[in-house]
Amino acid sequence: SSGINAEYGGEVDDDLEAETREECSKYGEVVQVVIYEIPSGVAVEEAVRIFVHFQRVESAIKAVVDLHNRFFGGRTVKCMFYQLEKFKSLELQPQPDEL
């Protein structure tokens, strides 16, 4: 299995997780979606991180290729792969070299 991290700025509404799951299921089976709001210290464009755990790495690759720099909800989405171990232990906050 494999996961991606998408940064999406702006406010989180109640439908974001379901919308993300639905959108990403086009690429393959989604195991889990986690929405993480960064408390402070980052630009609003980077204040929300959406983590998507796919069953297969091929699905994650397709999603990153297709979704990176896509305009969604008035914002540009940045996608990247994320270490599965960090995701599973919910280490979701940005590291100093990411800010």
Side-chain angles (χ1 to χ4, degrees), residues 15-77:
D15 299 326
L16 185 57
E17 183 178 335
E19 290 169 356
T20 301
R21 180 179 292 277
E22 182 179 338
E23 183 69 23
C24 289
S25 66
K26 295 190 302 191
Y27 306 104
E29 184 181 344
V30 174
V31 176
Q32 184 179 12
V33 174
V34 174
I35 310 293
Y36 178 78
E37 293 183 71
I38 300 168
S40 62
V42 298
V44 68
E45 297 83 24
E46 299 174 357
V48 178
R49 296 181 125 191
I50 303 172
F51 295 85
V52 183
H53 181 189
F54 287 94
Q55 183 64 38
R56 298 175 48 88
V57 69
E58 294 86 357
S59 301
I61 292 168
K62 287 183 207 173
V64 167
V65 167
D66 197 43
L67 296 174
H68 184 64
N69 286 327
R70 180 173 160 191
F71 202 65
F72 181 79
R75 306 249 187 233
T76 301
V77 177

Side-chain angles (χ1 to χ4, degrees), residues 5 7 38 41-42 46 49 51 78 80-82 86 91-99:
N5 168 30
E7 290 184 351
I38 300 168
V42 298
E46 299 174 357
R49 296 181 125 191
F51 295 85
K78 299 177 192 173
M80 63 206 73
F81 293 100
Y82 199 75
K86 283 187 173 187
E91 294 177 43
L92 308 178
Q93 68 282 0
Q95 300 304 305
D97 62 335
E98 295 179 76
L99 298 176

